Amino acid sequence: MLCKRLTNARFLTMDPDHPVAHDLGIWRGRIAGLDAAVTSSPAREVIDLQGATVLPGFIDAHVHLAWTGLKENTLSIAGRTRIDDVLAVVAQAAARARAPGAWLSLVGYDQRALGRHLTATELDTVSRGHKVFLLHDSGHGCVVNSAVLDLLPADIPHENGFLAEGAMGAARALRLPYSQRELAEAIGRAARTCLREGVTACAEAGIGGTLFGHSPVELGAYQLAREEDLLPLRVQLMVSAERLRPVAAHETDGIPRALDLGLRTGFGDDRLSVGALKIYTDGGMMARTAALSRPYEGLDHTGQLQDDPDALTDMIVDGHLAGWQLAVHAIGDRAADLALDALERAQRLRPRPHARHRIEHAGLIRPDQLPRFARLGVSAVVQPNFLRFFGDDYAAIMGEERAPWLYRGRGFLDHGVPLVGSSDRPVTDGSPLRAVQFMVERAAESGRVVGPEEGITVDEALRAYTVAGAHACHWEDTLGTLTPGKRADLVVLGDDPHRVDTARIGAIEVAATYLDGRETGKAAS
């Protein structure tokens, strides 16, 4: 007897051997069969989905759950377009702070909305002696006041209080780490948001680093969240490369640096596991720190790498030698050059053709770089909603020639490069359906079309959030398609993305999500 049979629906299985079905049976959390194989089988519960469209649960291959949840509960200055209005919010926070010299944390900072960066001196006028930390929406910078600058080593670079990349990490390190309880609750809040948007599995893009989770015991927070039923979806954890350390392993192992006990990609189970090693090579477009081969339009600089190029290359090579899948953050084309060169060197030293290394973001990729992605077997893990929400700005700072190279779609697929969908939540909107819409029409919210030749089909975009996401996370045996034997992770939609006008895809209702055959938020059958 089946545990459940879902009927009267259009199941888009993403499996070419059985692309569409009308019935789906579930037994002990797995898909037992489709159509005739289950239609006449008895079931404890038969659920009539009343003509809904059902897809495999969406997989977001690059998110920041802890940061998302923390941001939801932090005072925000988002939407303010005047310096005085931002300072007024900081002044209110300072007035409410009780302990002298307390930290005032705010989110939602974006200099583009203000026309320029705030300065430490301006923050000093309203901070009442407290320490102010305004996190940039990109996660790649912050603005602090003099009370924070005075605590930093003299060699930490800043621009009138704006700290980018590693310098921001130095400021964050001055603060008491978050507790596991705070992080677990934040993770739970973010996970519930993911589920509401149809995401049933995701990859947390970097724990143990200085930028986001800010805890030396961050993995323990995920374990706590799972133990206390705060983690209602599947999560794979990328580990920050900062956590590798030199080891004196046996010479035949060929491992120069490793995580304690040699832990690497693959440890864990189907609900919580260790994924790729996360390595940052550059910054972000929003903060103008992505490393480009030519200057930003209207600016006299090309962004920045996170470290000396040789040090970054060594980190990538050492991670490969230690047996990790690598997730290399590279937004600008100069950073992508470094990443590709290092991955090529690593594969020469120790060939691992099935390593499934990934380049996270791949924000600006020149035409000559596409064949290199393909030759190295590297996946491109992109965030389409970046251009949906920031397309006008990104196109302007890249200029007419380079704008079509932003967050490519067709270019990757035509070269045989796996195209993987993700959000980078909370940097921007996390909805897979809104991202799918952008991947097809390439239209920013303003209506501006950015690189129309990079548009792909609806089916290709859906595959980026199902089949390709599962493959990038080594989940293809259990997730990504509605195939007998796989986990019964499903998203129930109010319309078929193939059958509505492209401009309506992002507005399709997510009616329900199922994890292991159980509708989220409901008791098991």
Side-chain angles (χ1 to χ4, degrees):
M1 177 180 287
L2 299 171
C3 296
K4 283 190 184 79
R5 180 162 55 85
L6 307 182
T7 188
N8 188 20
R10 178 175 168 81
F11 293 92
L12 304 179
T13 69
M14 309 308 291
D15 180 354
D17 293 333
H18 194 148
V20 181
H22 52 76
D23 275 42
L24 181 144
I26 298 171
W27 169 246
R28 293 187 175 179
R30 292 185 180 266
I31 298 170
L34 302 167
D35 293 342
V38 298
T39 300
S40 58
S41 300
R44 293 178 195 157
E45 184 179 9
V46 177
I47 300 176
D48 185 343
L49 292 176
Q50 301 180 344
T53 295
V54 183
L55 282 157
F58 294 130
I59 297 170
D60 190 333
H62 185 119
V63 302
H64 300 279
L65 293 181
W67 179 18
T68 299
L70 291 167
K71 185 175 180 180
E72 288 178 9
N73 274 20
T74 303
L75 182 64
S76 178
I77 57 173
R80 271 78 174 182
T81 58
R82 297 175 62 249
I83 299 289
D84 287 346
D85 291 341
V86 172
L87 294 177
V89 176
V90 177
Q92 292 168 9
R96 290 195 298 266
R98 296 180 180 178
W103 281 92
L104 306 179
S105 294
L106 296 92
V107 297
Y109 175 68
D110 188 342
Q111 85 286 355
R112 298 174 304 172
L114 301 173
R116 64 170 177 83
H117 278 299
L118 281 168
T119 68
T121 302
E122 288 169 329
L123 291 174
D124 291 344
T125 64
V126 295
S127 58
R128 299 190 178 191
H130 297 301
K131 296 182 279 289
V132 180
F133 185 100
L134 273 62
L135 180 63
H136 196 280
D137 262 348
S138 68
H140 288 275
C142 66
V143 176
V144 299
N145 66 343
S146 298
V148 176
L149 294 177
D150 290 345
L151 299 175
L152 291 171
D155 61 347
I156 296 295
H158 71 91
E159 183 182 339
N160 297 320
F162 177 71
L163 299 151
E165 310 303 341
M168 180 186 73
R172 191 186 289 275
L174 297 171
R175 306 179 56 182
L176 182 71
Y178 291 113
S179 71
Q180 286 195 349
R181 169 63 53 191
E182 287 177 289
L183 289 173
E185 291 176 354
I187 290 162
R189 285 192 295 272
R192 291 189 292 274
T193 300
C194 289
L195 285 172
R196 287 194 294 270
E197 295 179 338
V199 175
T200 57
C202 65
E204 165 65 61
I207 64 167
T210 59
L211 295 183
F212 306 128
H214 186 45
S215 167
V217 288
E218 194 173 353
L219 191 149
Y222 280 87
Q223 290 182 290
L224 179 62
R226 182 179 179 182
E227 290 163 0
E228 300 200 354
D229 203 23
L230 297 173
L231 194 63
L233 76 171
R234 305 185 197 283
V235 179
Q236 187 177 88
L237 304 171
M238 300 184 204
V239 177
S240 172
E242 298 168 44
R243 290 296 168 187
L244 294 188
R245 63 179 186 177
V247 293
H250 194 282
E251 62 180 13
T252 60
D253 292 337
I255 299 175
R257 278 186 279 186
L259 209 61
D260 285 348
L261 303 177
L263 191 71
R264 58 180 172 81
T265 303
F267 183 81
D269 59 25
D270 67 292
R271 290 298 294 269
L272 183 62
S273 61
V274 174
L277 185 72
K278 176 71 177 295
I279 302 173
Y280 285 91
T281 64
D282 69 345
M285 293 281 187
M286 294 167 64
R288 311 310 195 226
T289 54
L292 309 179
S293 57
R294 294 179 0 225
Y296 290 87
E297 289 290 314
L299 300 176
D300 60 357
H301 69 85
T302 58
Q304 65 188 79
L305 295 172
Q306 290 277 2
D307 202 342
D308 175 78
D310 289 339
L312 292 171
T313 297
D314 289 345
M315 181 69 76
I316 291 170
V317 171
D318 287 354
H320 173 89
L321 295 177
W324 287 89
Q325 177 190 23
L326 303 180
V328 185
H329 168 115
I331 293 183
D333 62 326
R334 177 160 58 103
D337 278 334
L338 185 149
L340 293 167
D341 288 345
L343 291 171
E344 189 169 31
R345 176 183 166 194
Q347 291 286 13
R348 281 199 307 269
L349 291 171
R350 181 177 295 171
R352 289 176 54 211
H354 305 297
R356 298 191 196 177
H357 295 324
R358 311 155 39 141
I359 289 189
E360 309 298 301
H361 308 295
L364 184 75
I365 301 300
R366 302 186 310 270
D368 65 287
Q369 293 174 316
L370 293 170
R372 297 195 67 197
F373 271 77
R375 191 164 59 250
L376 290 167
V378 174
S379 296
V381 183
V382 300
Q383 297 77 40
N385 276 332
F386 276 19
L387 288 190
R388 178 176 171 82
F389 288 90
F390 311 134
D392 292 332
D393 175 60
Y394 283 20
I397 61 172
M398 288 301 105
E400 185 176 350
E401 179 188 5
R402 292 183 292 181
W405 306 343
L406 288 163
Y407 295 92
R408 290 175 177 270
R410 176 57 55 204
F412 285 126
L413 292 179
D414 284 353
H415 282 80
V417 177
L419 179 66
V420 184
S422 68
S423 67
D424 205 15
R425 184 192 307 263
V427 177
T428 190
D429 182 83
S431 165
L433 286 171
R434 287 190 281 274
V436 165
Q437 177 178 323
F438 175 82
M439 294 173 88
V440 177
E441 64 182 9
R442 299 283 297 186
E445 282 195 311
S446 67
R448 177 176 184 164
V449 178
V450 183
E453 64 275 17
E454 289 295 325
I456 61 177
T457 69
V458 171
D459 196 62
E460 288 168 334
L462 290 172
R463 285 187 173 277
Y465 278 91
T466 53
V467 177
H471 186 265
C473 296
H474 294 268
W475 281 329
E476 72 274 13
D477 290 338
T478 55
L479 303 176
T481 64
L482 302 183
T483 303
K486 291 193 176 184
R487 295 284 180 185
D489 290 5
L490 322 167
V491 56
V492 182
L493 304 179
D495 275 304
D496 181 346
H498 299 87
R499 296 184 171 186
V500 302
D501 184 84
T502 302
R504 289 187 51 225
I505 293 174
I508 292 175
E509 177 192 9
V510 175
T513 52
Y514 286 76
L515 193 82
D516 283 332
R518 301 172 183 175
E519 187 172 354
T520 55
K522 292 190 176 182
S525 58

